[in-house]
């Protein structure tokens, strides 16, 4: 690990190389810095604009030798207009309820997370995640963070009875930035394929950002040549961070 002390700036560190999770046969490394509790929100906002992502109490950015495949992307939520396919998907999930929760991990969330990982990411870097790992992912944050739960309708009850919350089917760990929402991580019930819950959560975040008067939804990295990242290109207008500038996708 290499250390880069910079007077008057955060101290940045460089990880050792490890196998790239996106492109076979390549190595990745990251540059990162801890989030200082005294200035976390400002630093997080500033570094997000420079292509960094948050994981617990650090922010990181790929710094791979000879490769710039990872490109930060964000949806211009204030200009977004869903087409017919997206509107049908919104209607299909109109029965879901969503709640903004504080960043506190629950057993219900972790069970869904394990189902998602076991079905979709058996060989990924998070495949061995434990309950303690999940709690750290959710709860170790120095910035404004929300856990957004999506549930099926409440179960019917007898008159005078207590309503039973509907089944948890999707969760998004989301940061609130000065200019948008950053989707840190999301997961969902992989058996509900017709609902396209991953896409639906992005659409919901776009609507949320607009309702909050925030112009952007940050989706993390898009990697050319990685098929599992292609879905991000569907959310136009999309902006790419190229050479330190946010550029509309049609100009990339």
């Amino acid at each position: 690990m290499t250390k880069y002390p910079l007077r008057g700036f955060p101290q940045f560190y460089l990880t050792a190389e490890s196998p790239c999770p996106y492109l076979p046969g390549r190595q990745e490394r990251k540059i990162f810095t801890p989030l200082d509790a005294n200035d976390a929100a400002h630093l997080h906002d500033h570094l997000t604009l420079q292509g960094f992502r948050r994981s617990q109490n650090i922010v990181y950015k790929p710094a791979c030798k000879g490769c710039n495949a990872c490109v930060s992307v964000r949806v211009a939520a204030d200009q977004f207009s869903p087409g017919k396919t997206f509107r049908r998907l919104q209607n299909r999930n109109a029965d879901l309820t969503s709640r903004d929760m504080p960043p506190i991990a629950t057993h219900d969330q972790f069970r869904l997370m394990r189902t998602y990982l076991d079905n979709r990411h058996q060989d990924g870097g998070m495949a061995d995640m434990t309950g303690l790992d999940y709690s750290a992912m959710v709860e170790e944050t120095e910035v404004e963070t929300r856990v957004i739960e999506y549930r099926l309708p409440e179960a019917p009850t007898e008159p005078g009875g207590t309503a039973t919350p509907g089944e948890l089917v999707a969760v998004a760990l989301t940061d609130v930035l000065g200019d948008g929402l950053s989707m840190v991580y999301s997961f969902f019930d992989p058996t509900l394929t017709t609902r396209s819950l991953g896409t639906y959560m992005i659409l919901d975040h776009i609507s949320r950002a607009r309702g909050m008067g925030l112009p952007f939804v940050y989706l993390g990295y898009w990697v050319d040549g990685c098929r599992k990242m292609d879905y991000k290109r569907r959310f136009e207008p999309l902006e790419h961070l190229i050479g330190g500038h946010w550029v509309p996708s049609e100009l990339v």
Side-chain angles (χ1 to χ4, degrees), residues 157-176:
T157 60
E158 297 295 329
T162 302
T164 302
E167 179 185 353
L168 183 67
V169 295
V171 174
L173 181 64
T174 302
D175 289 342
V176 181

Side-chain angles (χ1 to χ4, degrees), residues 7-221:
R7 180 173 299 177
F9 291 90
Q11 292 185 347
F12 289 87
Y13 305 85
L14 189 64
T15 67
E17 289 188 334
S18 60
C20 175
Y22 304 120
L23 299 175
R26 300 195 189 185
Q27 296 290 303
E28 73 160 357
R29 63 179 183 175
K30 299 183 179 76
I31 186 170
F32 70 94
T33 187
L35 284 172
D36 185 336
N38 295 320
D39 196 29
H42 178 266
L43 180 62
H44 189 213
D45 279 7
H46 176 73
L47 290 179
T48 298
L49 288 173
Q50 306 307 313
F52 282 74
R53 294 282 289 170
R54 184 181 71 84
S55 177
Q56 295 172 228
N57 286 329
I58 67 166
V59 286
Y60 67 91
K61 181 180 180 180
C64 308
K65 293 180 181 179
C67 181
N68 295 303
C70 291
V71 178
S72 293
V73 292
R74 66 185 186 184
V75 183
D78 55 349
Q79 303 173 41
F80 181 81
S81 179
K84 288 183 179 180
T85 300
F86 283 157
R87 290 198 300 271
R88 284 197 296 267
L89 180 57
Q90 288 172 322
N91 291 335
R92 193 179 308 149
N93 288 289
D95 60 329
L96 297 183
T97 59
S98 63
R99 293 193 305 168
D100 286 27
M101 310 291 289
I104 299 174
T106 69
H107 293 296
D108 207 12
Q109 294 165 10
F110 178 63
R111 282 194 296 269
L112 181 61
M113 177 73 154
R114 279 271 28 121
T115 299
Y116 174 77
L117 292 174
D118 292 342
N119 185 278
R120 294 292 184 93
H121 299 284
Q122 296 176 355
D123 300 321
M126 301 171 71
D128 296 327
M129 175 174 279
T130 66
L132 289 176
D133 295 331
Y134 178 73
S135 293
M137 184 180 81
V138 171
E139 298 177 6
E140 292 184 12
T141 175
E142 297 289 352
V143 299
E144 184 178 352
T145 300
R146 302 174 179 178
V147 178
I148 303 174
E149 293 187 344
Y150 299 83
R151 292 181 177 271
L152 295 176
E154 294 180 346
T157 60
E158 297 295 329
T162 302
T164 302
E167 179 185 353
L168 183 67
V169 295
V171 174
L173 181 64
T174 302
D175 289 342
V176 181
L177 306 173
D179 68 347
L181 300 178
S182 176
M183 298 185 70
V184 177
Y185 197 82
S186 60
F187 53 95
F188 51 86
D189 185 337
T191 68
L192 302 178
T193 55
T194 60
R195 286 185 177 270
S196 299
L197 289 168
T199 298
Y200 175 71
M201 281 190 283
I202 295 175
L203 293 173
D204 182 64
H205 275 66
I206 293 171
S207 296
R208 286 170 175 270
R210 295 180 66 157
M212 298 168 69
L214 299 173
F216 301 111
V217 173
Y218 290 83
L219 299 182
Y221 300 114

